[in-house]
Amino acid sequence: MNSMHVRENRAVDPCIAEKTASLPMPAPRSSTTGWRVLVVANASAEAESLASGIRRHGHEVITADTGIAALRAHDDSDLVLLDFELPDLDGLEVCRAIRSASEVPIIAVTARDGELDLILALQAGADDFVVKPYGFRALLARMAAVMRRAGPRSGAPKVLVRGRLRIDPTSRTVTVDDRVVELTRKEFDLLHLLAAHPDMVIPRERLIRQVWGDSWSRRTLDTHVSSVRGKLGASSWIITARGVGFRFGHG
């Protein structure tokens, strides 16, 4: 099957952030030579059988039986198997939400096999598409192919250098022209998210969801943007895209 990437940039409903905030965070990643696979499917014997089979091949599995749970768990995964038939959210919207926040590989799983279904899944951000019923060995082969294309995921966060600005996510330090800039935790998270996508306007909803979760307001975001600009010494470090969100500038 052709699994070329087709991306569609869409803002995600901020109500999702409210729903996900009350769910427990995923367990810390354990040491393993395999992948950490998030299996998103209705609770069923079929889903449990799939998870058991993946574990037998040396991989770690975490499960989510709703779209909301998937949105809280995907950050700690190497690969997502996303069943589009979920009890709470539309599978396409869950796929879009994960893709808007992460580059984690996603394999869509669905009982619908029409060409339009394939196109919509790829446009939503899926890297591949599997139709039920499927063979387990064929699924493993697709998982391996997707992971090869994704390449290794570095365990250490990368230092971002943007002109005169240097952001170290490990030590959570920021410097401008070697001057240390003291930021609060949320200010750092906001700046790092923007600087990690320097050519992209990030919608307000995504910034709010990733930095604040459910403890937010539109005024909170604007206040933090203003504070970061002041501490960096220029408003041009963060550019406002009116009616949409913000993007990283160049000081």
Side-chain angles (χ1 to χ4, degrees):
M1 175 182 297
N2 183 353
S3 55
M4 60 182 284
H5 291 219
V6 182
R7 297 284 184 256
E8 177 185 23
N9 294 325
R10 288 186 52 173
V12 178
D13 188 346
C15 292
I16 290 177
E18 292 187 54
K19 297 177 183 177
T20 58
S22 61
L23 293 169
M25 293 299 290
R29 181 186 300 276
S30 62
S31 60
T32 176
T33 57
W35 315 312
R36 189 168 198 186
V37 182
L38 171 61
V39 174
V40 184
N42 278 314
S44 66
E46 178 184 351
E48 189 51 45
S49 176
L50 173 60
S52 298
I54 295 172
R55 290 188 184 103
R56 284 196 299 271
H57 282 75
H59 307 296
E60 186 178 356
V61 178
I62 50 178
T63 60
D65 58 7
T66 66
I68 295 299
L71 294 177
R72 290 303 302 272
H74 73 84
D75 276 342
D76 204 38
S77 306
D78 298 310
L79 173 66
V80 177
L81 295 181
L82 175 60
D83 193 323
F84 274 12
E85 282 72 48
L86 297 172
D88 58 338
L89 297 175
D90 179 79
L92 286 170
E93 186 61 28
V94 175
C95 189
R96 291 189 191 100
I98 293 176
R99 180 56 68 233
S100 74
S102 171
E103 288 301 312
V104 62
I106 302 170
I107 297 179
V109 181
T110 178
R112 294 171 289 189
D113 61 354
E115 182 181 10
L116 178 59
D117 298 302
L118 167 61
I119 291 171
L120 290 175
L122 295 176
Q123 286 180 335
D127 297 273
D128 207 342
F129 184 96
V130 176
V131 179
K132 296 187 286 186
Y134 52 82
F136 181 69
R137 284 184 294 180
L139 175 63
L140 286 178
R142 288 185 179 278
M143 292 167 61
V146 166
M147 293 303 292
R148 282 196 302 271
R149 291 194 296 271
R153 300 182 76 190
S154 172
K158 186 170 70 173
V159 173
L160 301 180
V161 179
R162 302 286 185 257
R164 300 179 295 119
L165 180 69
R166 184 179 187 274
I167 304 173
D168 187 338
T170 301
S171 61
R172 295 182 70 83
T173 56
V174 174
T175 59
V176 176
D177 293 329
D178 297 323
R179 171 180 65 87
V180 176
V181 179
E182 298 291 343
L183 299 180
T184 67
R185 183 167 64 90
K186 296 299 186 184
E187 288 170 350
F188 180 92
D189 292 342
L190 173 63
L191 178 63
H192 183 266
L193 179 55
L194 290 167
H197 305 85
D199 301 315
M200 182 170 121
V201 174
I202 302 183
R204 284 177 171 271
E205 290 81 2
R206 175 177 172 183
L207 291 168
I208 288 167
R209 183 179 71 250
Q210 290 194 235
V211 176
W212 284 275
D214 67 338
S215 303
W216 60 272
S217 69
R218 293 179 68 88
R219 186 168 184 178
T220 297
L221 174 58
D222 292 336
T223 299
H224 279 72
V225 167
S226 177
S227 178
V228 172
R229 285 168 170 164
K231 291 181 179 182
L232 293 179
S235 61
S236 55
W237 283 114
I238 300 178
I239 307 300
T240 301
R242 294 192 180 279
V244 181
F246 298 92
R247 68 174 175 86
F248 184 77
H250 298 285

